[in-house]
Amino acid sequence: LIHGWTACPMLMEFAGSCVKLLELGGKTAEQLAKDADMKLGPLAIALRTCSVLGYLSFEPSTREYTLVKGSELNELVAILGPEAPTAQVLRRIYTDAAPPFRLPSAQASV
């Protein structure tokens, strides 16, 4: 599970960057990281989280993630996509606010 503090920015990044790339078809985490110019580790966590939330489907045999199209994904993009007013307000909040935990944190280590 991911901390609530990171869930919103992660979903905004997914809605803003990953959805457009995945609309073209399924991709592995490695392909998506390269195409989106993202770090693989954090992206892999975001992809697994979005799979659990029902926005993505994962095919183990090909290791590809594909979008689960429907009203839930449409609502996510409408609310947290790059042009959404809600996302713009949230970006300002996250820019100015301090996280509720220290970075790095002993609690964050495995």
Side-chain angles (χ1 to χ4, degrees):
L1 294 177
I2 61 172
H3 190 281
W5 177 261
T6 60
C8 183
M10 183 269 310
L11 288 171
M12 287 192 302
E13 189 67 28
F14 173 76
S17 299
C18 298
V19 170
K20 289 180 183 180
L21 292 170
L22 289 168
E23 285 176 339
L24 303 173
K27 293 183 180 286
T28 64
E30 292 81 6
Q31 290 169 326
L32 191 57
K34 181 181 176 188
D35 293 350
D37 193 28
M38 295 179 173
K39 292 184 179 181
L40 180 58
L43 176 61
I45 293 168
L47 293 173
R48 287 191 302 271
T49 301
C50 288
S51 292
V52 169
L53 294 173
Y55 300 123
L56 291 175
S57 176
F58 178 71
E59 174 52 52
S61 64
T62 62
R63 300 182 40 145
E64 287 188 338
Y65 290 90
T66 55
L67 292 174
V68 176
K69 297 184 179 180
S71 61
E72 291 87 0
L73 181 63
N74 294 342
E75 288 174 15
L76 178 75
V77 173
I79 294 170
L80 296 180
E83 303 303 318
T86 306
Q88 293 172 8
V89 170
L90 288 168
R91 275 189 208 91
R92 284 195 300 271
I93 291 170
Y94 275 87
T95 299
D96 296 336
F101 48 83
R102 290 180 346 146
L103 296 174
S105 172
Q107 291 84 359
S109 64
V110 179

